[in-house]
Amino acid sequence: MARIAGVDLPKEKHAWVSLQYIYGVGPTRARRILAATKITPETRMDALSEAEVNRIREYIDREFVVEGELRKEVQLNIKRLIDVGSYRGLRHRRGLPVHGQRTRTNARTRKGKPKTVAGRGQKRGAKK
């Protein structure tokens, strides 16, 4: 099993799919990495030699910010928004959607489980 950037990559998958297990590497970046290291994307990870895996590892370390460093950078960016007091920072602090989505309905991923509010059950003018 190849280990790149601290991540064990699955050996039975194509190289371009396996590289996506690294945080910060998506489909486009995975194909660019393989093109730069002159490896065909459809090659399975277990078919790669140790030299090819080392080429991929060195290229990623040299060119990209991935895994722990990238996660830290993202968290620092969010912390900066909160400290500055920007609108996006306030949305992060309150645990609400940040990118302008509606919150009257939906938004359960950010808001968590529904909190029941008294007096919301009956329609206006309804008889008991």
Side-chain angles (χ1 to χ4, degrees):
M1 189 174 281
R3 189 167 176 83
I4 299 175
V7 178
D8 289 331
L9 302 181
K11 58 185 174 193
E12 69 281 351
K13 297 190 183 218
H14 289 164
W16 74 274
V17 175
S18 289
L19 285 176
Q20 292 178 55
Y21 280 68
I22 300 170
Y23 182 80
V25 178
T28 305
R29 189 170 275 186
R31 288 187 183 271
R32 281 203 190 126
I33 290 167
L34 293 170
T37 54
K38 295 181 176 51
I39 298 168
T40 56
E42 281 69 36
T43 309
R44 299 207 179 269
M45 286 303 286
D46 56 357
L48 293 178
S49 67
E50 195 61 40
E52 290 172 324
V53 173
N54 283 334
R55 275 203 325 246
I56 293 172
R57 186 180 297 122
E58 289 167 6
Y59 183 78
I60 290 174
D61 289 342
R62 187 174 62 244
E63 297 294 325
F64 302 114
V65 177
V66 292
E67 278 300 321
E69 286 293 317
L70 182 59
R71 289 178 203 269
K72 192 185 324 178
E73 192 175 312
V74 169
Q75 287 303 314
L76 286 173
N77 289 341
I78 292 171
K79 186 178 182 323
R80 179 181 49 81
L81 289 172
I82 291 171
D83 292 344
V84 166
S86 69
Y87 180 76
R88 282 172 55 201
L90 293 174
R91 302 299 282 183
H92 274 290
R93 187 183 313 151
R94 293 179 183 159
L96 294 169
V98 178
H99 297 291
Q101 299 93 327
R102 66 180 292 143
T103 56
R104 182 169 178 171
T105 60
N106 303 329
R108 279 291 145 222
T109 303
R110 287 292 297 190
K111 291 168 73 173
K113 286 185 62 104
K115 294 150 190 85
T116 307
V117 179
R120 292 291 316 252
Q122 293 182 348
K123 302 272 189 241
R124 259 190 221 156
K127 304 254 183 195
K128 284 193 176 181

